[in-house]
Amino acid sequence: MAAPRPASNIFTFRDARAVPDPVQEPVLDGPAVLVLDNGSFQLRAGWAGVGPKMQLRSVVARSRGGPRSLSRVGNDIPSLEPLRWLLRTPFDKNLPVNLELQELLCDHVFERLGVTSQGCVDHPIVFTEAPCTPLHVRQMVSELLFECYRVPKVSFGIDGLYSYYHNQRETPPTSAIVVSSGYHCTHILPVLNGRLDAKNCKRINIGGFHAVTYLHRLLQLKYPGHLSAITLSRMEEILHEHCYVPDDYMEELKKWRCPDYYEENVHKMQLPFSSKLLSSAVPSEEKQERRQQQLRRLQELNARRREEKLQQDQERLERLLYIQELLEDGQVEQFHKALVELNMDSAEELQSYIHKLSVAVEQGRQRIMGDSIDSKPETPETAGGETEEMEGISELEPLDSEEQIEPEKSTPNVQPMFNIAEYHQMYLGTERIRVPEVIFQPSLIGEDQAGLAETMQYILDRYPQEEQQQLVQNVFLTGGNVMYPGIKARMEKELLQMRPFGSTFHVSLASHPVLDTWHGASEWALQNLETDEGWISRKDYEEMGGEYLKEHVASNRYTAIRLPKPAPRSTAPSSSQESENIPQGNPGASLS
């Protein structure tokens, strides 16, 4: 939900930093079942019946080719932005495909949850997966759990269905449409009589990741002066706390055109800035003093440089005069050698250079003497009486008083040209509704896909009218990307437009769209721990393979791999040889 709006509509970024997960105490009493909600944005893990003690980002900070010991996982990374270029994820969209990174995440989870068994994880595991997961992905995950961790048994289930059954635990399983929108994808899952109809499931490749990158691009184009401050982490914070879904997108855009509506509903995000820039105006006397200090420093620096240059010129002039004396003393050979070292051709060129250098030395001496005279403080003349001194003092007093009065009159009128705090503010206007709208209109970000309402209409058209009416009686929304205020009302309006006149429907939202998946998996594990339904044992894995799945109420449908049988190699050559032996002129001769 959006944060309460202050009177001035100015919000600051929290810039929350992750806290490392502590090591939990192992569960010693009761069934010890590990539940892992393996999401592409966040991994939630804990002991069944206790609660999701760990919630961490599904990222690993690891340099290419770096050792595993230097890898940092999840909440061990306080801030993601400094290490954004090092972050790796085991997911491709919503499927775990990099088992090395997935192993690092599991190692971190098992260590912090207090798994004490040596060399293995001697606990049953409930592992969530995406709808219609490819068999090779499940095979890799099963291989990781059974071969690397040697778990006794594993159960795979769909995250959206766990959340649905957790919210429907007081009523018997019925038909429904489950809309599960996550970080990378949005799934629409039809459920008939309590079981998933996998043939009519549809996926939209739009999720929270696309909304975050869209908002990031919009604000960077709008505020090019603050590119470094507009980070993906802050965009996620804006998306979670300041965006909403209107009932009618076009009508809401018309409202934003009104200046009064804009002033009432715009959110001003305050970017961090240096407090030194907001210091009070410096008095004019202090400014003049600073300028005089800077002027004195520059004068001293220039005088030092002149002295150094004068000294260098004098040394060079003395050397040239020494070379000229060699010619006057008759040492012609040494004179010519010295000219070659100086890159000169004749004595005339040497004489011209000596003349120019002597003039430069003289000018430098005069300039230094002039600076020293100007820098001497003025001393009062000894000749003269007290009357002259008093007259001089009386003449200076009015000037000093005017200089003291003028700044006092002018300082209150000095005003800054602009407010530094306002310069570091981002105004969120129509961005608050444009970003969540991508789930209904993917064309806003250039995606050639159908929106959520269109896809739902397509699924409903594949059923007869009676089953359509059963499905729309329970439209269930879950996932981290359905937490926008107003999304339930928007779905009700979309259903009102697509359903026949007079028909009824019902839309419900998960009580906690993020954690209900874990709680649903935990409840299923405790209810079915003593049964074999839904559990894949090590014996099943060794006999049936890693892609094997035991179905249950919240699982995918199992489809075995059917490889085409290769044709026997001996039949093809023999048939070709027989065809070659048949005479071409009398085709019926071989039949006699």
Side-chain angles (χ1 to χ4, degrees):
M1 298 294 291
R5 186 174 70 237
S8 57
N9 291 3
I10 299 178
F11 299 82
T12 57
F13 288 103
R14 292 184 289 108
D15 289 337
R17 298 176 65 86
V19 179
D21 299 304
V23 178
Q24 306 289 336
E25 295 183 0
V27 175
L28 301 177
D29 299 332
V33 182
L34 286 169
V35 180
L36 272 70
D37 180 13
N38 192 39
S40 59
F41 177 75
Q42 197 176 53
L43 190 149
R44 292 161 285 274
W47 299 98
V50 178
K53 296 296 184 179
M54 294 184 63
Q55 300 183 43
L56 61 147
R57 287 290 295 267
S58 301
V59 292
V60 177
R62 182 182 183 184
S63 58
R64 188 179 299 274
R68 292 170 58 96
S69 59
L70 298 180
S71 301
R72 288 190 284 177
V73 179
N75 292 332
D76 288 347
I77 309 172
S79 178
L80 298 181
E81 295 308 323
L83 301 176
R84 180 72 67 176
W85 62 286
L86 288 177
L87 296 183
R88 304 286 186 270
T89 176
F91 289 87
D92 181 7
K93 289 186 171 60
N94 62 332
L95 299 175
V97 295
N98 192 326
L99 285 190
E100 185 180 3
L101 298 179
Q102 184 68 56
E103 183 182 352
L104 288 174
L105 287 173
C106 292
D107 288 344
H108 178 79
V109 168
F110 297 149
E111 178 187 356
R112 300 303 170 90
L113 286 179
V115 176
T116 56
S117 52
Q118 295 293 331
C120 66
V121 178
D122 194 15
H123 301 281
I125 292 180
V126 178
F127 205 87
T128 62
E129 62 180 6
C132 304
T133 296
L135 296 181
H136 72 277
V137 174
R138 186 182 301 122
Q139 180 180 6
M140 290 190 297
V141 176
S142 298
E143 182 180 351
L144 174 67
L145 296 177
F146 283 108
E147 300 293 343
C148 180
Y149 297 108
R150 294 189 289 173
V151 298
K153 57 182 179 179
V154 178
S155 177
F156 294 99
I158 300 175
D159 48 3
L161 294 184
Y162 279 133
S163 177
Y164 168 67
Y165 289 118
H166 172 69
N167 286 268
Q168 302 289 329
R169 58 185 180 275
E170 297 179 358
T171 59
T174 57
S175 300
I177 292 181
V178 179
V179 179
S180 177
S181 185
Y183 191 57
H184 284 103
C185 301
T186 299
H187 292 91
I188 303 176
L189 312 174
V191 178
L192 290 175
N193 299 322
R195 292 305 300 269
L196 174 68
D197 185 10
K199 293 182 179 179
N200 293 319
C201 293
K202 296 298 174 184
R203 181 184 73 183
I204 308 172
N205 291 323
I206 298 294
F209 168 77
H210 302 84
V212 169
T213 53
Y214 182 44
L215 179 61
H216 186 251
R217 187 169 61 216
L218 285 177
L219 293 183
Q220 281 193 337
L221 291 174
K222 188 175 180 180
Y223 298 99
H226 304 303
L227 294 181
S228 60
I230 302 174
T231 62
L232 290 175
S233 299
R234 287 174 178 165
M235 297 306 101
E236 291 174 358
E237 182 178 338
I238 291 176
L239 190 70
H240 294 158
E241 300 183 3
H242 301 279
C243 293
Y244 67 97
V245 176
D247 294 346
D248 192 320
Y249 179 67
M250 298 307 297
E251 290 295 329
E252 190 73 13
L253 284 179
K254 293 178 182 178
K255 292 180 182 179
W256 278 97
R257 294 178 183 175
C258 177
D260 296 335
Y261 186 86
Y262 179 87
E263 290 296 331
E264 291 177 1
N265 295 276
V266 67
H267 284 194
K268 303 173 185 178
M269 303 304 301
Q270 183 68 61
L271 294 172
F273 59 94
S274 177
S275 59
K276 296 180 181 179
L277 299 176
L278 289 180
S279 59
S280 58
V282 181
S284 58
E285 295 179 355
E286 188 174 349
K287 287 182 179 180
Q288 291 178 0
E289 185 178 355
R290 290 181 181 177
R291 290 173 184 170
Q292 291 177 0
Q293 291 178 357
Q294 293 177 356
L295 182 60
R296 283 194 293 268
R297 292 196 195 100
L298 291 175
Q299 290 176 351
E300 293 174 357
L301 181 62
N302 291 334
R304 195 180 302 113
R305 289 178 178 175
R306 291 195 191 104
E307 292 177 357
E308 293 176 356
K309 188 177 183 302
L310 178 61
Q311 185 177 1
Q312 294 176 358
D313 292 344
Q314 288 178 347
E315 293 176 355
R316 188 169 179 81
L317 180 60
E318 292 176 357
R319 183 184 178 189
L320 295 178
L321 292 174
Y322 172 76
I323 295 173
Q324 189 178 22
E325 291 178 358
L326 293 177
L327 180 61
E328 295 176 355
D329 296 342
Q331 300 178 6
V332 180
E333 186 176 354
Q334 296 181 0
F335 174 75
H336 286 295
K337 288 182 180 180
L339 285 181
V340 172
E341 292 178 357
L342 295 175
N343 198 14
M344 294 184 182
D345 298 332
S346 61
E348 290 79 4
E349 185 177 356
L350 175 63
Q351 186 64 31
S352 175
Y353 195 81
I354 290 175
H355 176 70
K356 293 179 181 179
L357 197 58
S358 59
V359 172
V361 169
E362 187 64 26
Q363 290 178 354
R365 289 174 180 172
Q366 292 178 0
R367 189 178 294 112
I368 291 174
M369 292 177 61
D371 293 342
S372 61
I373 292 174
D374 294 338
S375 61
K376 288 182 179 180
E378 296 182 358
T379 55
E381 297 180 359
T382 54
E386 295 181 21
T387 56
E388 294 179 357
E389 295 180 0
M390 294 302 296
E391 288 177 0
I393 294 173
S394 62
E395 289 176 359
L396 292 175
E397 283 181 355
L399 296 176
D400 295 339
S401 60
E402 289 178 3
E403 290 179 358
Q404 294 176 359
I405 294 173
E406 286 179 0
E408 293 179 359
K409 293 181 180 179
S410 58
T411 48
N413 298 328
V414 174
Q415 295 180 357
M417 297 179 62
F418 63 93
N419 192 340
I420 303 296
E422 291 182 0
Y423 174 73
H424 288 83
Q425 288 178 1
M426 295 189 302
Y427 286 62
L428 299 178
T430 56
E431 292 85 3
R432 297 179 60 196
I433 61 173
R434 289 173 65 186
V435 174
E437 188 66 19
V438 298
I439 193 175
F440 295 97
Q441 300 184 49
S443 59
L444 292 175
I445 57 175
E447 293 289 340
D448 188 15
Q449 301 183 50
L452 180 58
E454 299 173 47
T455 307
M456 188 178 296
Q457 178 66 55
Y458 176 78
I459 293 175
L460 290 174
D461 290 341
R462 299 172 69 90
Y463 294 97
Q465 288 294 332
E466 295 180 357
E467 293 183 350
Q468 287 186 26
Q469 189 61 27
Q470 294 178 6
L471 291 172
V472 297
Q473 293 304 317
N474 193 358
V475 178
F476 179 73
L477 307 178
T478 185
N481 200 38
V482 299
M483 298 180 67
Y484 304 111
I487 193 169
K488 180 181 176 182
R490 175 65 176 272
M491 285 301 304
E492 291 175 347
K493 183 174 182 181
E494 296 290 348
L495 285 171
L496 182 64
Q497 293 177 352
M498 72 175 67
R499 298 301 298 155
F501 176 75
S503 62
T504 59
F505 53 85
H506 178 71
V507 179
S508 60
L509 187 65
S511 58
H512 198 300
V514 175
L515 293 179
D516 282 353
T517 294
W518 191 94
H519 288 293
S522 173
E523 293 170 359
W524 182 91
L526 295 177
Q527 293 173 2
N528 299 274
L529 181 61
E530 302 299 332
T531 65
D532 293 336
E533 181 185 2
W535 294 100
I536 306 170
S537 64
R538 172 173 288 276
K539 183 178 179 181
D540 296 332
Y541 166 75
E542 294 174 351
E543 292 181 359
M544 308 296 294
E547 71 277 1
Y548 179 64
L549 173 68
K550 277 191 176 180
E551 297 182 8
H552 57 90
V553 67
S555 70
N556 279 299
R557 292 298 181 95
Y558 174 61
T559 303
I561 297 179
R562 294 183 177 88
L563 298 176
K565 294 182 179 180
R569 297 181 179 180
S570 59
T571 58
S574 60
S575 61
S576 61
Q577 292 176 2
E578 291 177 358
S579 62
E580 292 177 358
N581 296 330
I582 296 176
Q584 298 294 331
N586 188 8
S590 61
L591 301 177
S592 57

